[in-house]
Amino acid sequence: MKNFLKILLLIILFGAIYYFRDPLSTQVLPILENLKNNISNVFGKYIPCKEPIPYTFGTFDAKFNISKKYFLDALSLAETIWEKPVGLELFTYTPTDSSSNVLKINLIYDYRQEATSKLASLGIIVKDTRASYDMLRNKFTALKALYEKDEIDFNVRMESFNQNKLAYENKVKFWNTKGGASQKEYNQLEATHLFLENEIRELQNIQKNLNNTADEINALVVVLNRLVTSLNLSVGKYNTVNVARGESFEEGVYVSDGVKREIDIYEFSSREKLVRVLAHELGHALGLPHVSDSQAIMYELNQGNNQILTKADLDELKVRCGLK
């Protein structure tokens, strides 16, 4: 298939060069380039995994304080997560390719994560005084207690959601083996499906609120620890929260308009989380949907710590690539 695609492109190219063999031919080159890109996109959509998806850097914000090599190493590991289990080259790095069909991966710094900007946006004016320290400490204590309670409630609700979703999927499989459900059973399944969809949306909103609260707490911690030092206070350092939180995969996003494809990465708390969010968005670039396994790379929320495909991930990849 790879050779066939190349031959087809060469035939089109040389045919066009022969036909437009005058000075006006330079006007046709952009058309030929678009035609080549469209053919590649069609092959990628309808005959997936036969050609590796080329990718390159787009925006790379130095405010993250990481090198391009660090980011590229994480990307390489992320693509290996998909390629190694099936022995296929699914992605290829092309640093000098600027054609429109190349997947551009952008690292975009979100300034709102900065502690001082975060507190300023909340209307908190910090002064190097004991009164300012006491005010921030009281706010930190109250906010942390609220966060810990809400986090427990979220985890309980998430566990219930996962159990309900598993029960729903088992019922769907059961009725599929029976050749279909009765109208009554079908209506019940449909109602459960709608409930689960609404529940995951609410859980994602709760997750966002938890993350926002954690960001506020961590911004307070940065300023409190600075005040402890500058005021020479005899207290211990404050610790951040949310180190191992279940981050939403909205820390990254894959977008495509049918021609241009991009991945935007704008948040990660560790190298492991960076690799996972890159792998998740690369999965979307392959055309994979979300799965129900909470540890999977393609789960809605970045909860797991593993950097290998789960059975749910692998099953979706095999279906997409036509593998057994």
Side-chain angles (χ1 to χ4, degrees), residues 222-234:
V222 171
V223 177
L224 281 169
N225 284 336
R226 178 175 63 78
L227 289 176
V228 166
T229 300
S230 62
L231 298 174
N232 196 27
L233 301 177
S234 300

Side-chain angles (χ1 to χ4, degrees), residues 11-223:
I11 292 172
I12 294 172
L13 179 61
F14 284 113
I17 290 174
Y18 177 79
Y19 185 77
F20 297 101
R21 56 187 185 278
D22 56 60
L24 293 177
S25 63
T26 56
Q27 300 176 14
V28 183
L29 292 179
I31 299 175
L32 293 178
E33 178 65 21
N34 287 334
L35 181 60
K36 182 188 76 172
N37 293 338
N38 289 336
I39 291 173
S40 295
N41 288 337
V42 168
F43 271 77
K45 181 176 180 180
Y46 295 104
I47 314 177
C49 308
K50 303 303 181 184
E51 290 283 331
I53 296 174
Y55 69 85
T56 190
F57 285 134
T59 300
F60 188 86
D61 201 317
K63 294 189 185 74
F64 277 94
N65 292 321
I66 63 172
S67 66
K68 284 190 175 182
K69 182 180 183 306
Y70 180 97
F71 191 63
L72 191 58
D73 287 346
L75 257 172
S76 178
L77 182 55
E79 65 172 280
T80 300
I81 288 174
W82 292 108
E83 294 172 339
K84 187 176 180 180
V86 292
L88 294 175
E89 184 185 9
L90 301 174
F91 304 94
T92 182
Y93 176 53
T94 57
T96 59
D97 195 332
S98 60
S99 58
S100 61
N101 71 317
V102 171
L103 172 64
K104 288 184 172 58
I105 301 181
N106 305 307
L107 185 61
I108 303 172
Y109 184 79
D110 186 352
Y111 71 94
R112 290 170 295 181
Q113 296 180 30
E114 288 288 342
T116 52
S117 296
K118 180 68 176 180
L119 295 185
S121 70
L122 296 171
I124 300 175
I125 306 302
V126 180
K127 299 180 180 179
D128 288 339
T129 64
R130 180 59 188 257
S132 185
Y133 166 80
D134 289 339
M135 180 271 292
L136 292 175
R137 179 196 60 194
N138 292 338
K139 184 172 182 61
F140 165 80
T141 301
L143 204 57
K144 186 178 181 185
L146 177 63
Y147 172 83
E148 290 173 346
K149 177 184 178 300
D150 289 345
E151 186 182 43
I152 291 173
D153 293 341
F154 171 81
N155 289 334
V156 170
R157 189 166 173 178
M158 176 60 77
E159 178 62 27
S160 176
F161 168 81
N162 288 333
Q163 291 178 359
N164 289 335
K165 191 169 186 179
L166 180 61
Y168 164 78
E169 290 169 345
N170 287 337
K171 284 185 178 180
V172 170
K173 290 178 182 177
F174 170 80
W175 287 111
N176 283 340
T177 61
K178 297 293 184 180
S182 65
Q183 187 62 47
K184 179 180 178 180
E185 289 290 344
Y186 175 83
N187 291 340
Q188 290 177 348
L189 287 171
E190 188 64 14
T192 301
H193 177 67
L194 293 175
F195 167 79
L196 290 172
E197 286 189 334
N198 183 67
E199 184 70 355
I200 192 60
R201 285 193 293 268
E202 291 188 13
L203 284 167
Q204 288 174 332
N205 287 332
I206 294 171
Q207 181 75 77
K208 290 179 185 177
N209 292 333
L210 275 172
N211 288 347
N212 289 336
T213 302
D215 289 341
E216 185 177 350
I217 291 172
N218 292 340
L220 287 167
V221 166
V222 171
V223 177

